[in-house]
Each structure stands twice: as C-alpha cells, then as structure tokens.
Amino acid sequence: MATSTTVSNTENLMKYMKLDQKGSVLAEYVWIDGSNGLRTKTKTLSKPVKDYTELPEWNFDGSSTGQAPGDNSDVYIRPCAIFPDPFRGGDNILVMTETWDPDGTPNKFNYRHEAVRLMDANAKHEPWFGLEQEYTIMDADGWPYGWPKGGYPAPQGPYYCGVGTGKVFCRDIVEAHYKACLYAGIKISGTNAEVMPSQWEFQVGPCEGIELGDHLWMARFLLYRVAEEFGAKITIEPKPIKGDWNGTGLHTNVSTAEMRRDGGMKAIEDACKKLGERHEAHIAVYGEGNAERMTGENETASIDKYSYAVADRGASIRIPRQCAQEGKGYFEDRRPASNADPYRITAIMMETMFGGMEGIDISKSAKE
C-alpha cells in the first residue's frame, strides 16, 4: 500500500483490542466541523445502549474546529443516530451527532436540524434518497494512488468498473470499507471503480428522509478511518486532477410516493421543472469547487445551464430510461459535487419540491 508516516502496528494493537473492557462500552462521537470535515472523540459508557436517546450530550472546543470563537468556545454535540463500531466490535458504538451552541440554538454549521424539520413536515410524501459518493484515493504525497510520480497514466477508458492490475488501484481499501459499512448497518447498496484511475464510488440508499444524511456521513467517516490503516488519503474534492479527467460527484437519486405510483412520470416531470426554477439556489449548496467539475464535458452539464432528459448523462437531471418506459420511478440529479453535504442536498430537494418553511433558507451559506 501507500508509503505512510503513520506509526501503526496491527499485530501489537490486536493484543490490546482483545482485552476485556469490564462491562464498559466505548462510544465514538462523530460530528461535522466548520470546514465540512469530520471530527471524533471517545466517551466511556457504563453499559451497552440500544438507542441514541440513552446517550448523554457532550461538548468540544469549537474554536479548534472553526465552529466557535475562542472566548465562547463550547459547542455541544447531541446524539442523533448510533451504529455498531466495526473497528472495536462488541457493544462499542459509533454515534452521529448534531452541533448546538450554548444558548440552545443549532450551531451555524448544523445543517441536519433544518433538514429534519423539512423531512418531518413532508413525511406524507415518503421521500426516498439514494446518493452515489465518488472519491479519489491518494498516496501520502497527495497524488492519485498508482499514478506515475509526477506523471499520468494512460487515458481514461479501461478503468471504469475495471478488473486487473493497472486498471484498478487500492481495491483492498474499497473492500474493507464495504465490509465495515455492512457491519455498522449502513445502507450501502454497491460500489464500483470509476472512470478516472484511483477514483471509486459507493452508493448509499434507498433511505427515507433524514436517514440518508446520517448514513452517508457515517459511511464517509468509515472510509477515512479505513484509509488511515492503509496509509492512504481520501479526497472528495470535485476536480482533484485538472485537465481531461473526470471529476467526482455525488449524484442524487430522488423518489417520492407520488413518483412511484402508476402515472408517476408526471410527478417526476413536475419536480424537474421546479428544480429548474431554483437552479442557482441548488448550485449554491451542491459543493465547493463544483464549477471546475461542471464544464459540460466528462459526463457533466454546464454549471450555468439547466436541463433534464431521459438517459442523458450530460443533462443536469437524468430520468432513467426504465422509469420513462414504466411511467414511474425516480430521477437523478447529477449536479451535486462529491464534497456536498447530504443534509443540505436532501433538504433543498424537499424545499423545492414541496415548499419552504418559515425561518429556513437552505441555500444561504453558513459563512455569510
């Protein structure tokens, strides 16, 4: 695997991982920081828990994560979902949390809170989401793993869903991540090598409502954590390599109860029209650096134009041909960048399709 400066000795570690915890449980609290990254800290619990509501609120130094000033640095983390821990095993758990300020209001980087409100208000529509998370595996020097140092591999073509040495790289990381997700109960539905070498994708969903955001963020955490052990870096930058190389996206598949019924194509087309009316608002929350990816080339639409069509991977919205033939199903929004926040994507999707709520503006940046 990649050369790494990380000091790690699995054989030695395993001696300690097997030690009896004397009834205690380790809970790894995970939260999203002020730069769209992930942070974690571990809490000891006196006994196993079955639900996130049994867990205590905790706090951290928000001035060290870009979420609070130094003179009022406490930020609180409230559990909202739990998953079995594939690294520690046993009764140990991973905990997805929301960030809250001392005055009892959501931290400005807490996008989950507004997403939950929109999901709850529109629960009758039974929204299903499936997101396709693309990413690139980099070596310790920040260059795509397996690429010639300072150089480039052969042009794109043989790498997508490829098999064999020289066509795929780091499959061991991909396999380890897949199994870790399954152990943790993540609704991961597949994985494949992508168009650019060392670029991969995994899919999460279908999930209903807020569950998609929880599962995708935890799947990202597991990916970063697994890559640590292989001395590799993961980037979800939308255009990690400039030039004639595919970027990385977070294609978003959406279906509602109305779309899944006979004659649901009308609901799909109605949603596509509404999305076009708010194209700029959606682009505002669809990830940083997306303009470099959405050029109208390499299977993308132009960032400043909106379109929808059947089976067209160069359109903003693709309606699968099978759905068009059956007259029902779902649509795929191909605009989100790989680094977009799934809470914001799914929230603005609900806002656009079913109307906004007082006090909520998903397209407003937390940095404004």
Side-chain angles (χ1 to χ4, degrees), residues 35 61 99 123 179 291:
S35 58
D61 171 16
T99 52
K179 293 295 288 288

Side-chain angles (χ1 to χ4, degrees), residues 148-171:
K149 286 296 180 183
Y152 298 87
Q156 295 179 156
Y159 311 111
Y160 173 69
C161 296
V163 178
T165 301
K167 294 182 180 179
V168 292
F169 303 93
C170 299
R171 194 185 292 275

Side-chain angles (χ1 to χ4, degrees), residues 36-265:
N36 202 43
L38 289 167
R39 309 286 181 123
T40 75
K41 56 191 295 189
T42 310
K43 175 180 279 294
T44 302
L45 307 176
S46 60
K47 60 181 181 180
V49 298
K50 299 295 184 182
D51 191 83
Y52 75 87
T53 57
E54 301 175 54
L55 294 167
E57 185 179 272
W58 207 6
N59 62 76
F60 64 90
D61 171 16
S63 68
S64 296
T65 64
Q67 291 168 281
D71 60 356
N72 188 21
S73 63
D74 285 357
V75 176
Y76 294 84
I77 39 180
R78 298 180 182 176
C80 54
I82 60 173
F83 303 85
D85 186 339
F87 305 109
R88 293 173 172 142
D91 292 322
N92 302 304
I93 56 174
L94 306 174
V95 185
M96 197 67 216
T97 67
E98 287 189 15
T99 52
W100 289 74
D101 290 335
D103 62 2
T105 60
N107 184 265
K108 65 180 181 178
F109 296 101
N110 178 356
Y111 299 119
R112 186 183 189 276
H113 174 69
E114 291 184 341
V116 169
R117 290 181 59 195
L118 285 162
M119 297 299 175
D120 289 347
N122 295 286
K124 66 181 180 182
H125 298 290
E126 300 175 18
W128 292 1
F129 300 101
L131 269 62
E132 305 168 23
Q133 177 69 70
E134 295 179 337
Y135 62 95
T136 308
I137 303 176
M138 316 293 269
D139 63 22
D141 297 322
W143 194 240
Y145 191 84
W147 287 35
K149 286 296 180 183
Y152 298 87
Q156 295 179 156
Y159 311 111
Y160 173 69
C161 296
V163 178
T165 301
K167 294 182 180 179
V168 292
F169 303 93
C170 299
R171 194 185 292 275
D172 43 5
I173 291 177
V174 174
E175 293 291 322
H177 173 248
Y178 206 145
K179 293 295 288 288
C181 283
L182 291 173
Y183 180 93
I186 301 293
K187 291 186 176 179
I188 185 170
S189 50
T191 191
N192 59 269
E194 269 300 334
V195 177
M196 187 180 81
S198 291
Q199 182 189 62
W200 290 82
E201 172 186 301
F202 65 89
Q203 304 91 34
V204 172
C207 297
E208 186 167 344
I210 201 64
E211 182 182 56
L212 186 284
D214 293 341
H215 281 234
L216 186 64
W217 270 114
M218 191 56 72
R220 284 179 175 177
F221 165 76
L222 293 175
L223 179 60
Y224 296 138
R225 182 66 176 74
V226 165
E228 278 184 27
E229 301 190 10
F230 289 86
K233 298 178 181 179
I234 302 297
T235 179
I236 54 174
E237 182 183 345
K239 190 70 173 179
I241 302 298
K242 315 310 177 190
D244 192 22
W245 301 96
N246 274 33
T248 54
L250 187 57
H251 297 161
T252 299
N253 301 280
V254 182
S255 180
T256 64
E258 295 84 357
M259 296 176 191
R260 295 188 292 273
R261 297 183 188 129
D262 289 342
M265 183 55 67

